[in-house]
Amino acid sequence: MGMLREPLDEIQSCGLPSALEVMGERWSFMILRAAFNGLHHFEEFLGELGIARNILSNRLARLVEHGIMKREHMPDDRRKIEYRLTAKGLDLLPAMLALRQWGEKYGVGVPANPVLCDTRDGQPIAPIAIHAHDGRPLAPVELEWRNRADIGKALHAPEDDAVRPRLNVL
Amino acid sequence: MGMLREPLDEIQSCGLPSALEVMGERWSFMILRAAFNGLHHFEEFLGELGIARNILSNRLARLVEHGIMKREHMPDDRRKIEYRLTAKGLDLLPAMLALRQWGEKYGVGVPANPVLCDTRDGQPIAPIAIHAHDGRPLAPVELEWRNRADIGKALHAPEDDAVRPRLNVL
DNA sequence: GCGATAGGTATTAAGTTGCAACCTGAAACG
DNA sequence: CGTTTCAGGTTGCAACTTAATACCTATCGC
């Protein structure tokens, strides 16, 4: 299949376009979720997702090509191929969960099952959130964009709270 | 524009399909990022993203329709329309950041600018990660899928570590 | 060998995207 | 107060992507 779309990356210095190059495609996240749920084979994905064979084939190939999954013949049955998440693929778990939790929060009647839990106490994980480098949770008002050059600098007097830039979306 | 695609939701009980219904479309996340960077107007998005007018128009309409952004005439100049993130839109920040951080980690030469920082000390935020309900950070080996019915139950003897299901992707 | 199974490819219709040209209503200008 | 400019679109069309379905190829179990 061709690829004459606008690259979508290099638009600004930000990793988002490069992430979306693979994960922005229709079905990529659904395939990833299925993989996180323990699916490993072509026909399993096919049955679970209700996707067309050719599209699934193409998407798996792209995920493999981008190092998100790896593709291996099974030694005991050489018809079978095993698709498995790589470390790079596993690293997408927070993004996938954040998106899923958002969908659950605002979607219609989606009580979500199964739920990702802490093995230690069997309780569901916390909502994915933003934390400071030292682990403090951060609310939107405590956030601001900074140029790389200004990291760690005192840009505004602490008492001058009203003038602080913050996320300029609030 | 028509909408005869497979719904992509209702496939399983999980919020992901419903999240992807809007955010899975090409450009949606890029528009969101631009909005988080403080852009509010049609022509601003157009210039920043290099997207076609009709597509931008369509995507903004869909974001508004889904309650992610709101659209308001500016009272001082009635030609201008202001697009602004709603609470629902702001709630996508963790998902957007997780995706962006992943792209930065694995993308080619993307040092990312500007960077989201804590107003308190001007330091960049921590990587988006998974935490237990009590705030402890959780590694992949400490995670397992559970049916809603089994939340909080002791499913496996603590000493029987090898048999524990975990993420069955590891 | 022979049917079933796993994982694809090929063909074609339908839907989506991107480009460029055009439209509309509200400022701004003189 | 007529004309120009600006903001925010819409329309038409060609190119591309997706989906559905049929077909292909290598194992495997018997």
Side-chain angles (χ1 to χ4, degrees):
Chain A
M1 286 186 176
M3 223 278 288
L4 294 216
R5 277 171 163 174
E6 172 101 44
L8 187 68
D9 57 43
E10 302 172 311
I11 285 165
Q12 246 214 13
S13 41
C14 160
L16 197 56
S18 109
L20 291 173
E21 194 175 323
V22 216
M23 297 315 298
E25 281 177 309
R26 195 166 147 75
W27 293 113
S28 292
F29 259 111
M30 290 300 291
I31 292 170
L32 199 81
R33 177 182 77 102
F36 274 117
N37 276 286
L39 272 56
H40 299 287
H41 297 287
F42 191 90
E43 308 282 340
E44 288 177 332
F45 289 110
L46 205 60
E48 169 96 1
L49 299 175
I51 180 177
R53 299 183 85 79
N54 54 349
I55 304 298
L56 176 60
S57 175
N58 183 277
R59 284 305 174 277
L60 284 170
R62 266 176 83 61
L63 289 169
V64 169
E65 185 187 319
H66 280 80
I68 291 165
M69 300 188 88
K70 59 180 185 295
R71 178 186 186 281
E72 274 173 8
H73 282 273
M74 305 221 64
D76 57 315
D77 182 345
R78 309 245 324 135
R79 286 173 304 180
K80 289 189 182 169
I81 302 264
E82 187 177 67
Y83 288 97
R84 192 167 275 276
L85 290 163
T86 61
K88 182 173 175 181
L90 287 169
D91 264 355
L92 276 165
L93 186 56
M96 195 272 273
L97 290 172
L99 211 48
R100 179 179 166 162
Q101 289 174 348
W102 181 86
E104 270 155 37
K105 179 167 178 182
Y106 293 102
V108 278
V110 270
N113 205 32
V115 177
L116 194 62
C117 292
D118 181 357
T119 45
R120 190 140 113 190
D121 58 10
Q123 292 296 327
I125 60 163
I128 302 290
I130 300 165
H131 295 261
H133 64 97
D134 60 7
R136 264 178 304 126
L138 292 171
V141 287
E142 300 176 282
L143 298 169
E144 63 184 16
W145 295 108
R146 286 194 173 210
N147 287 321
R148 301 213 133 255
D150 298 329
I151 288 173
K153 285 189 188 166
L155 290 183
H156 20 250
E159 66 278 3
D160 193 15
D161 226 58
V163 138
R164 198 168 274 186
R166 288 180 258 201
L167 254 196
N168 73 348
V169 286
L170 302 175
Chain B
M1 287 187 173
M3 223 278 286
L4 294 215
R5 278 171 160 173
E6 171 101 44
L8 187 69
D9 57 42
E10 302 173 312
I11 285 165
Q12 246 215 14
S13 40
C14 161
L16 195 57
S18 109
L20 291 173
E21 194 175 321
V22 215
M23 298 314 298
E25 282 178 308
R26 194 166 148 77
W27 293 112
S28 292
F29 259 111
M30 290 300 290
I31 292 170
L32 199 80
R33 177 183 77 102
F36 274 116
N37 276 288
L39 272 55
H40 298 289
H41 296 287
F42 190 91
E43 308 282 339
E44 287 177 333
F45 288 111
L46 206 60
E48 169 97 3
L49 300 175
I51 180 177
R53 299 182 85 78
N54 55 344
I55 305 298
L56 177 60
S57 175
N58 183 275
R59 284 304 173 281
L60 284 171
R62 267 175 83 61
L63 290 168
V64 169
E65 187 187 319
H66 281 78
I68 291 164
M69 300 190 88
K70 59 181 186 293
R71 179 185 185 280
E72 274 173 8
H73 282 272
M74 304 220 63
D76 57 314
D77 183 344
R78 308 244 325 138
R79 286 173 305 181
K80 290 190 182 170
I81 301 257
E82 186 178 65
Y83 288 97
R84 191 167 275 275
L85 290 163
T86 61
K88 182 173 175 182
L90 287 170
D91 263 356
L92 277 165
L93 186 56
M96 194 272 271
L97 290 172
L99 211 47
R100 179 179 167 163
Q101 288 176 347
W102 181 85
E104 268 155 39
K105 179 168 179 181
Y106 293 101
V108 278
V110 271
N113 206 32
V115 178
L116 195 61
C117 292
D118 181 357
T119 45
R120 190 139 113 189
D121 58 9
Q123 292 296 327
I125 58 163
I128 303 289
I130 299 166
H131 296 261
H133 64 95
D134 60 8
R136 263 178 304 125
L138 292 171
V141 287
E142 300 176 282
L143 297 169
E144 64 184 17
W145 295 107
R146 286 195 172 209
N147 288 321
R148 301 212 132 254
D150 298 330
I151 289 173
K153 286 187 188 168
L155 290 183
H156 21 250
E159 66 277 5
D160 193 15
D161 226 57
V163 138
R164 198 169 275 184
R166 289 180 258 198
L167 254 198
N168 72 350
V169 287
L170 300 175

